[in-house]
Amino acid sequence: MTINILHLYPKEMNLYGDHGNILALKRRCEWRGIKTKIIHHEPGDDIPDDIDIIFGGGGQDSGQSKIEKDLQKIAPQLKDYVEHGTPALVICGLYQLFGNYFETSEGQRIEGSHILDIKTIGGPTRLIGNITINTPEFGEVVGYENHSGLTHLGEDIQSFGTVISGSGNNGEDMTEGVKYKNCIGTYLHGPILPKNPRVTDFLILKALENKTGKTQKLQPLNDRIEQRAHKVATTRPR
C-alpha cells in the first residue's frame, strides 16, 4: 500500500522549515512499513485523483500572489477532497488561502479557495515567537508562529486549539488555527509535525482508513526524541 501525499507549491510556499513536515510524514510511514509517494504540485500541474494526504506550507505575500490563480483553478478539486474527509495540513500562507481571502496590509486582496470559512487581514505588526496551544483532540501542541495576517473564523467553524502561550489566529480571541473534518489549518511552523507526533499520526491514520474503508490502528513508535523536542519547545520564551 502506498500513501500519496500532495505537496502544494513547494517552491513558493516553503518558509520556516515547512518541508520538515513532509519528512515527518514520510519517516513515520516508513518506520511502519507503509510506502509513500510525494507529489509536488506547481502552477499549471494537474491534480491526481488518488491523493491521500494534502500538505501546504507558508510563503511570503509575493508567493501567495504567484499561486493565486492556480489555487482558484484547483480549488474545486481540493474542496472535494476535504469535504470527503481527506486529511490535510495547511500552514500559514496556505492556511490563509484555504480561506475566503487574504487582504495584505497594503490593501491588496488575494482571493482564497473558499475551502475554510475564514478571512485574513494584514496587521500592522508581525506576531512572532514560540506558541503553545491546547487542542481537544491532540492535547498540547507546540510550534513557532511568524505572521502579520490576522485571521478570523466564521461562526460555524471550529478552531484547531486555544492559545496557552503566544498569539494564535489574531492575538485577540485566543483561538489558533482551524479543524474542519480532517483538515487542519494553522500558523504553527517549527516544523509542527516532528514535535507533535500525535498530529502526524492522525493524518496517516485517516489516510489509511479512507484508503481501506476500514478502522485502522497504527503500530506504536518510540517517540522519546519527539517528546523531548516537544518539551523543550514549551520551555522556550517567546
Side-chain angles (χ1 to χ4, degrees):
M1 182 184 301
T2 300
I3 297 297
N4 297 317
I5 303 172
L6 179 66
H7 188 174
L8 295 169
Y9 311 112
K11 292 181 181 178
E12 297 294 343
M13 309 297 286
N14 187 30
L15 287 180
Y16 313 123
D18 285 335
H19 183 67
N21 293 307
I22 290 288
L23 292 177
L25 284 167
K26 190 173 188 294
R27 291 290 183 265
R28 291 185 75 82
C29 281
E30 289 175 345
W31 293 336
R32 295 178 167 109
I34 304 168
K35 296 179 181 179
T36 60
K37 180 180 179 181
I38 312 301
I39 301 165
H40 293 161
H41 175 85
E42 297 292 353
D45 294 342
D46 294 327
I47 297 291
D49 58 5
D50 57 348
I51 295 301
D52 301 304
I53 299 175
I54 298 169
F55 172 75
Q60 297 177 347
D61 293 356
S62 59
Q64 294 185 48
S65 296
K66 290 179 181 178
I67 68 168
E68 179 183 9
K69 289 184 179 179
D70 186 78
L71 182 60
Q72 290 176 30
K73 184 182 74 173
I74 66 173
Q77 293 168 277
L78 295 178
K79 185 175 180 63
D80 187 62
Y81 272 121
V82 170
E83 291 294 335
H84 284 86
T86 299
L89 174 65
V90 285
I91 296 172
C92 201
L94 270 171
Y95 165 43
Q96 294 170 348
L97 292 187
F98 259 51
N100 299 326
Y101 64 86
F102 170 49
E103 185 176 305
T104 71
S105 56
E106 291 79 26
Q108 177 192 4
R109 177 164 167 146
I110 303 173
E111 194 68 22
S113 57
H114 296 264
I115 296 169
L116 304 173
D117 185 18
I118 62 174
K119 60 182 180 180
T120 303
I121 307 293
T125 59
R126 297 194 71 82
L127 306 178
I128 304 175
N130 294 294
I131 178 170
T132 303
I133 66 174
N134 182 54
T135 70
E137 192 163 356
F138 311 108
E140 187 179 79
V141 174
V142 299
Y144 188 88
E145 60 184 335
N146 186 345
H147 58 102
S148 60
L150 306 178
T151 297
H152 296 272
L153 312 186
E155 292 184 1
D156 298 323
I157 195 164
Q158 174 187 337
S159 69
F160 179 36
T162 303
V163 174
I164 298 173
S165 173
S167 298
N169 280 326
N170 50 57
E172 297 175 357
D173 61 15
M174 303 300 289
T175 66
E176 204 295 312
V178 161
K179 172 72 163 49
Y180 176 70
K181 298 195 174 187
N182 293 327
C183 176
I184 297 170
T186 180
Y187 277 115
L188 272 62
H189 296 281
I192 180 176
L193 294 186
K195 298 184 181 71
N196 301 280
R198 290 183 65 185
V199 180
T200 317
D201 286 352
F202 163 81
L203 298 170
I204 297 170
L205 180 63
K206 292 303 179 183
L208 288 174
E209 290 183 341
N210 289 343
K211 205 170 186 73
T212 63
K214 299 178 181 178
T215 300
Q216 299 286 319
K217 186 174 181 179
L218 292 179
Q219 173 190 340
L221 298 175
N222 184 344
D223 291 334
R224 180 179 57 84
I225 294 176
E226 290 85 351
Q227 291 168 357
R228 176 61 179 165
H230 180 109
K231 184 176 181 180
V232 169
T234 64
T235 63
R236 290 175 176 168
R238 279 188 55 76

